[in-house]
Amino acid sequence: MIALSKYGFRILQIETYGLCNMSCGFCPYPLKNEEKKKQKIDLEKIYQILDQIDSNDPGFKYVTFSQFNKPLLDNRIFEIIKYSQQKKLNTFLITNGLLLNKKKNIENILELKPELKISLQVIDSSKHKFSRGINMEIDDYLKTIIEFIKIIKNTKIKLTIDIGSNFNDNKVKVFLKNIFGLSVGDKSVPETLNETFQQFIELLNTHKIDLLDNNDQSIKDLKKKYFESYSYLSQDGWKLFENVKIKIKKFHFGRAISENFPRDDNFICSSEILGIQSDGNIVPCCLAYDDTISLGNIYKKSIFEVLKDNSFLKNLRDLNGNKSITCKKCFGEPTQRGVFFRNFYSKIPEKIRIKVAKFLYNNF
């Protein structure tokens, strides 16, 4: 049995089937080759992987069956979830929500009660089709999600709905980032938290106002909570029902892993997500869509052998380790000017960087 947290991983993502029913402009999925999109991990191999994970590992959070795919497209998914639950592993089902109107999916979710997450992300109707890569109006998309919420509300099924935002509310910081050529987020989602809330309220007024049970939660109080902490993990979220909540996350442009300019080796990646792609490659983050940062392959080595012997992972967690060009791009910037300033800033002693960061936070 493997305690994944001992290697720095708290989440396991298994891409059981490579296919997705969206083609989001911010996601690396469209960059995958067509052959890889159609690949599936053998069912017995998936079970072997789950057998290796220590469910008593106190640092391990959950296993989910997606990387860039959508698990509900895999007709084996509920069999896999059931096996994972039998192994006493906390199991998540992450979906874009498109297939939550299928009777079979609803029945299986009601029976197995996996914890659910819907990646709504884009709530701007003018950006929906382009951002999600699907010829469907946002109203039709939301209707499926709303009807599903009505079905599972106030049950034991926990559901989190993620909405994306760039959190660029501090205009001084955004101005400085533009001057230095640093990333200010992705255009698919609102620029500021205020804009995100405005669109969110419009969405509720148009589609969900009749769903709200918690009328005592004012928008003012909700905004205050988010402004106090941009951390996704520390947010309680806003409860629509006792088992359904909305969370706003700082949006990450997934294609940065291929489109950014690379920085130097002076950084550490502390990704807590271990991913297994549909072709069997084991990768140390949730953004890898090919084999450029593969740690090994499940068809050649066990997960334990890969984690125990992999020098790539050691370099990734070591400030002085030689990094892959893929990781350098992920930690890089959209401009060469930005990379220059990023590299310069990282060479400043940490104590000084912390003081500078606190000064900017407290004064701007």
Side-chain angles (χ1 to χ4, degrees), residues 28-29 31-32 36 67-68 257-258 277 287-291:
Y29 173 78
L31 304 178
K32 292 172 62 174
K36 191 164 185 177
Q67 181 81 348
F68 297 108
I257 202 167
S258 62
Q277 300 172 341
L287 295 175
Y289 63 91
D290 57 22
D291 61 357

Side-chain angles (χ1 to χ4, degrees), residues 9 65 74 83 88 110 112 147 167 195:
F9 297 111
F65 302 101
D74 189 343
Y83 187 87
K88 302 190 182 304
L110 289 173
L112 297 176
E147 291 303 313
F167 289 86
E195 187 180 345

Side-chain angles (χ1 to χ4, degrees), residues 10 83 126 157 167 193 200 207 213 224 287 305 345:
R10 301 178 66 195
Y83 187 87
S126 67
I157 299 170
F167 289 86
L193 191 55
F200 176 50
H207 298 279
D213 277 353
K224 186 174 184 294
L287 295 175
E305 291 174 317
Y345 181 73

Side-chain angles (χ1 to χ4, degrees), residues 191-204:
E191 288 298 307
T192 67
L193 191 55
N194 265 324
E195 187 180 345
T196 306
F197 271 103
Q198 182 180 350
Q199 291 184 9
F200 176 50
I201 299 311
E202 290 174 0
L203 182 152
L204 287 177

Side-chain angles (χ1 to χ4, degrees), residues 312-360:
F312 181 101
L313 189 58
K314 293 176 183 177
N315 282 341
L316 203 57
R317 303 280 165 82
D318 185 349
L319 190 63
N320 298 313
N322 296 322
K323 312 296 193 302
S324 161
I325 185 67
T326 301
C327 298
K328 289 180 181 181
K329 285 186 175 183
C330 187
F331 276 80
E333 296 294 339
T335 67
Q336 290 180 315
R337 182 172 77 258
V339 169
F340 172 81
F341 283 109
R342 177 66 65 192
N343 289 337
F344 174 79
Y345 181 73
S346 66
K347 289 179 173 59
I348 299 174
E350 186 176 7
K351 289 183 179 180
I352 298 177
R353 276 188 284 153
I354 291 174
K355 288 182 179 179
V356 171
K358 285 184 177 179
F359 173 80
L360 291 173

